[in-house]
Amino acid sequence: MTYADLFSEIKTQFMNADVSDITEHLAFQFNIVGEAEGIFYVEVKDGKLYVEPYEYFDRDAMFTCKAETLLKIASGKTDPILAVTLQKLKVEGNIEKALRLKELIEHKGKGKKA
């Protein structure tokens, strides 16, 4: 898997989330290590979701993991808190906001409102 493949898959998964009820600004940077190594960010701003292949310097939290781990988290197969506990996901920054990652993943299942 290449970084481009990973980013495309993650963006597709996250963009299905309905974040219109999230009023708080959230900015997460993901650092992928190993296969498909690269950086991208996920931001919720004014009820809209953005996923971009860039470093985000004013982030709330930074997650570091392997591509395989992130794909499992994004698909809902692995709980992000469990991934941290198992040391498969490293978190730096605002832990309270980092915990909202789980909420974003749960919103993904709700889909966008028409």
Side-chain angles (χ1 to χ4, degrees), residues 23-80:
T23 56
E24 180 180 11
H25 178 261
L26 299 173
F28 301 138
Q29 178 174 311
F30 292 86
N31 297 340
I32 307 306
V33 296
E35 182 183 4
E37 183 173 331
I39 294 173
F40 66 92
Y41 73 86
V42 175
E43 178 183 34
V44 177
K45 183 178 179 180
D46 300 325
K48 294 184 181 174
L49 182 71
Y50 303 90
V51 181
E52 299 296 336
Y54 310 111
E55 195 164 355
Y56 196 104
F57 293 101
D58 194 24
R59 61 192 169 250
D60 297 311
M62 182 168 58
F63 299 96
T64 303
C65 64
K66 291 182 178 180
E68 175 186 7
T69 300
L70 182 58
L71 287 169
K72 287 180 181 178
I73 291 169
S75 68
K77 293 178 182 172
T78 296
D79 183 280

Side-chain angles (χ1 to χ4, degrees), residues 3 5 13-15 18 26 56 59 73 85 103 107:
Y3 169 77
D5 294 338
Q13 288 199 30
F14 274 104
M15 292 309 287
D18 175 12
L26 299 173
Y56 196 104
R59 61 192 169 250
I73 291 169
T85 303
E103 185 179 337
H107 275 71

